[in-house]
Amino acid sequence: MTPDRKLIYMDHAATTPTRPEVVEAMLPYFHERFGNPSSLYSIARESKKVVESARETIARALGADPMEIFFTSGGTESDNWALKGVALANRKKGDHIITSAIEHHAVLHTAEYLEKQGFRVTYVPVDPSGLVDPGVIEDSITDKTVLISIMTANNEIGTIEPIREIGSIANNHGIPFHTDAVQAAGHIPLSVKDDDITLLSLSAHKFYGPKGIGVLYIKKGTRIDPLLHGGGQERNRRAGTENLAGIVGLATALDIAVRTMNEEGDRLRNLRDRLISGIESAVPHTRLNGHPTKRLPGNVNMSVEFIEGESMLLLLEGHGICASTGSACTSGSLEPSHVLMAIGLPHELAHGSLRLTLGEANTQEEVDKVLEVIPGVAAKLRAMSPLYSPTEKDCHVQ
Ligand code: PLP
C-alpha cells in the first residue's frame, strides 16, 4: 500500500494511503450513485440511506448513537467547531476554557482566536513524557469553565493521555469534555461512554480513508453553535452538501481499522520497539521523546543530538525513506516544535528530532533497512557539526 514501492514510507501520522477497498467502496458515489441526499427522487433517497448507514457504522465504532455523529471536512474543522461552537453557545455561562500546551494547532490556534474574542484559556503543562496531569486539570476548573479540550494522543510524540480520568473529572463538574482523537481513532480503542467524552474529533485520512472528511461526535444535549451556516444538512447543525463518497470512505476505513486494530496494533508495537531500541543502541546521544509505553503503536520520536532534523530528513529521503521532524522552517527562522518545547527539551534537542510513524505497509525488513541507514546519516551530519566531537562511546559503534 506504499505510494511507491521503492519508498519506505514512515510518516503515517501525517497521512495514510487510502486503502484499495475504501477507494472501491467510494467509486460508485462519484458517478452512478451521485444523488444529493437532500433531494427527493430515488437516487437521492439512496444517497441519504448510504449517509445514514455510514453514520451507524461510525457510531458503533465509538459506542455512540448515530444521531450524535456529524460529518465535517476533517480534523481541523471538527476541532474548530468543538471549541468555537461550545464557547459561543455557553458565553453567558462562562468564558474559561482549559486545554493543554501540546494540542495540535487546530485546537491551539482556535483557542488563541477565542482569547481574542474575550475568552480566557488555561494551557495546562505536561510532564517530560508528554502526559497531562488530571489533577492539574481539576485544579484549573473555575465556575466560569465551559470546556475542557485534551487530545487523546499526541501527533508528534505519540503520548496517549489519561482521557478517561479527565473525562470523569469534567463530568463530575458538569463541564463538556472535547478530545481531539485524530491520531487515535482507528488505532487504539475509543469509547465515548466509558471515557465520558462530550465531543470527539476524528479524520479519515489518518486511518487509511480519504482526505477532507472527518467527524465531530457531539453527545446528545450538548449546547453548541454551528460553525458553518447555510442549508439544513446534518440536522441543521453543519451546513453544506454532504461529501457522499468521502462519508462512505470514512465509514469503510473506520470499520476495517476497528476490526484489525488489535492484531495490527501488536504488530506495530513490536516494529516500533525494535526501531526505538535499534536507534538507541546504534546512534549515541539519542533519546526517545514521549512516553515509553503509553504511546501510539506506530510512533517513534527520537532526538538526535548535534543534528538538525531537516538535514536528517533530506539524507533519509536520499535513501528512499519518508520521515518527519519536529522543527518547521517558517519564514526563514527555524521554529522548534511547541510539543518538544513543552516536554522540556532544550532548543538543540528539539531541532534534532526525528519522527518515524509506522503503518500497515511497513515490514520488519523496512525497519531493519532504516536501522542500517540511520547511523551513517547521523555520523555524516555530526562530522559536519561544529558542536560535535566524537567520544569513546561513538567509536564503539562505527
Ligand atoms: N488534530 C491532530 C492531532 C492531527 O494530527 C491533525 C492532523 O495532522 C489534525 C488535528 C488536523 O486534521 P485534518 O488534517 O483532518 O484537518
Side-chain angles (χ1 to χ4, degrees):
M1 253 170 62
T2 33
D4 178 330
R5 263 283 149 233
K6 291 188 295 292
L7 288 182
I8 298 185
Y9 182 77
M10 291 198 179
D11 201 16
H12 290 84
T15 196
T16 57
T18 309
R19 283 180 198 282
E21 309 94 289
V22 170
V23 174
E24 203 173 309
M26 292 170 70
L27 280 177
Y29 298 96
F30 289 107
H31 37 88
E32 72 262 28
R33 299 190 189 171
F34 63 90
N36 185 327
S38 300
S39 301
L40 297 175
Y41 32 79
S42 79
I43 57 161
R45 286 199 304 271
E46 190 60 32
S47 297
K48 175 117 186 101
K49 267 197 208 149
V50 164
V51 170
E52 295 319 315
S53 148
R55 211 187 295 284
E56 279 168 27
T57 304
I58 295 154
R60 219 177 304 122
L62 298 176
D65 188 276
M67 290 302 104
E68 299 174 316
I69 302 299
F70 294 85
F71 293 108
T72 67
S73 62
T76 301
E77 184 188 327
S78 296
D79 287 346
N80 268 262
W81 186 11
L83 269 77
K84 291 177 192 165
V86 171
L88 294 179
N90 291 284
R91 195 162 207 163
K92 288 210 179 85
K93 192 171 158 235
D95 61 356
H96 180 231
I97 294 164
I98 300 171
T99 187
S100 86
I102 63 162
E103 298 298 310
H104 189 270
H105 284 136
V107 166
L108 283 182
H109 289 171
T110 306
E112 286 161 17
Y113 169 80
L114 287 169
E115 282 187 281
K116 289 198 191 108
Q117 307 304 310
F119 286 88
R120 290 174 307 114
V121 181
T122 301
Y123 300 90
V124 298
V126 291
D127 76 5
S129 64
L131 283 174
V132 169
D133 179 348
V136 174
I137 302 264
E138 185 148 38
D139 292 344
S140 307
I141 293 173
T142 73
D143 58 352
K144 297 286 182 211
T145 307
V146 291
L147 181 68
I148 297 172
S149 178
I150 302 293
M151 68 202 321
T152 312
N154 185 267
N155 45 302
E156 288 189 39
I157 56 174
T159 300
I160 300 173
E161 299 298 340
I163 58 161
R164 184 160 295 183
E165 288 89 324
I166 298 168
S168 157
I169 290 168
N171 189 30
N172 289 343
H173 289 265
I175 299 167
F177 171 47
H178 167 245
T179 190
D180 173 342
V182 169
Q183 291 290 336
H187 300 283
I188 57 172
L190 290 172
S191 160
V192 291
K193 292 214 168 62
D194 293 349
D195 295 343
D196 280 316
I197 294 165
T198 322
L199 304 113
L200 177 146
S201 306
L202 60 81
S203 178
H205 75 104
K206 307 291 187 178
F207 49 83
Y208 309 95
K211 294 169 184 57
I213 181 78
V215 155
L216 182 64
Y217 156 82
I218 308 175
K219 188 179 175 179
K220 236 175 280 162
T222 305
R223 286 166 60 96
I224 181 166
D225 280 0
L227 181 69
L228 300 184
H229 301 267
Q233 292 89 353
E234 298 295 272
R235 301 172 303 291
N236 284 319
R237 288 178 119 172
R238 197 276 187 180
T241 300
E242 296 85 344
N243 175 355
L244 189 57
I247 288 170
V248 171
L250 188 155
T252 311
L254 188 59
D255 191 41
I256 298 172
V258 168
R259 281 192 278 114
T260 54
M261 184 184 288
N262 286 345
E263 209 177 317
E264 179 60 4
D266 287 346
R267 192 186 75 88
L268 288 180
R269 271 183 282 269
N270 278 333
L271 292 182
R272 173 195 76 187
D273 294 344
R274 185 180 182 91
L275 197 46
I276 293 171
S277 56
I279 296 174
E280 279 173 342
S281 61
V283 187
H285 313 293
T286 51
R287 58 158 276 180
L288 177 69
N289 296 316
H291 197 280
T293 53
K294 292 176 188 162
R295 74 186 294 131
L296 287 170
N299 177 289
V300 175
N301 188 314
M302 312 286 300
S303 276
V304 186
E305 255 183 279
F306 313 111
I307 287 180
E308 289 288 350
E310 266 147 22
S311 323
M312 216 163 8
L313 294 195
L314 281 177
L315 292 198
L316 287 176
E317 200 191 344
H319 291 273
I321 299 164
C322 301
S324 156
T325 177
S327 56
C329 204
T330 40
S331 51
S333 71
L334 266 180
E335 278 295 320
S337 131
H338 67 285
V339 176
L340 299 179
M341 297 306 283
I343 60 171
L345 285 197
H347 267 251
E348 321 81 84
L349 279 185
H351 276 305
S353 80
L354 176 66
R355 184 186 73 176
L356 296 154
T357 43
L358 304 165
E360 285 215 344
N362 296 134
T363 58
Q364 187 167 312
E365 290 71 48
E366 287 186 336
V367 166
D368 291 345
K369 167 84 179 143
V370 170
L371 285 174
E372 239 174 75
V373 167
I374 285 183
V377 164
K380 189 166 177 180
L381 292 171
R382 280 175 176 170
M384 294 188 278
S385 166
L387 299 173
Y388 182 65
S389 58
T391 60
E392 216 177 296
K393 199 171 164 207
D394 302 76
C395 299
H396 291 305
V397 293
Q398 297 304 320

